[in-house]
């Protein structure tokens, strides 16, 4: 479910977007090029796998 939503979110995000929050997982990811690339990648999206991009 997150794959489609994250791709849409990445497209709608601007430089004013500070971060992306996954409420069920309590994961906060900064708006960065790496996060946008991960959002556009194929396959299932697990927010916990992206936590390394928050550093």
């Amino acid at each position: 479910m997150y794959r489609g939503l994250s791709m849409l979110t990445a497209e709608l995000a601007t430089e004013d977007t500070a971060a992306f929050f996954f409420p069920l997982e309590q994961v906060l990811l900064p708006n960065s090029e790496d996060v946008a690339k991960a959002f556009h990648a194929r396959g299932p999206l697990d927010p916990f796998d992206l936590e390394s991009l928050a550093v």
Side-chain angles (χ1 to χ4, degrees):
M1 175 179 108
Y2 278 132
R3 176 61 57 207
L5 291 174
S6 64
M7 290 177 74
L8 176 63
T9 301
E11 289 300 317
L12 295 176
T14 67
E15 61 274 354
D16 294 328
T17 305
F20 305 102
F21 181 61
F22 294 85
L24 294 176
E25 293 82 2
Q26 297 292 307
V27 174
L28 182 68
L29 301 174
N31 183 12
S32 69
E33 189 174 321
D34 291 336
V35 171
K37 286 179 186 177
F39 282 176
H40 283 106
R42 299 226 179 246
L45 176 71
D46 184 356
F48 293 118
D49 291 340
L50 301 178
E51 279 187 302
S52 64
L53 299 175
V55 178

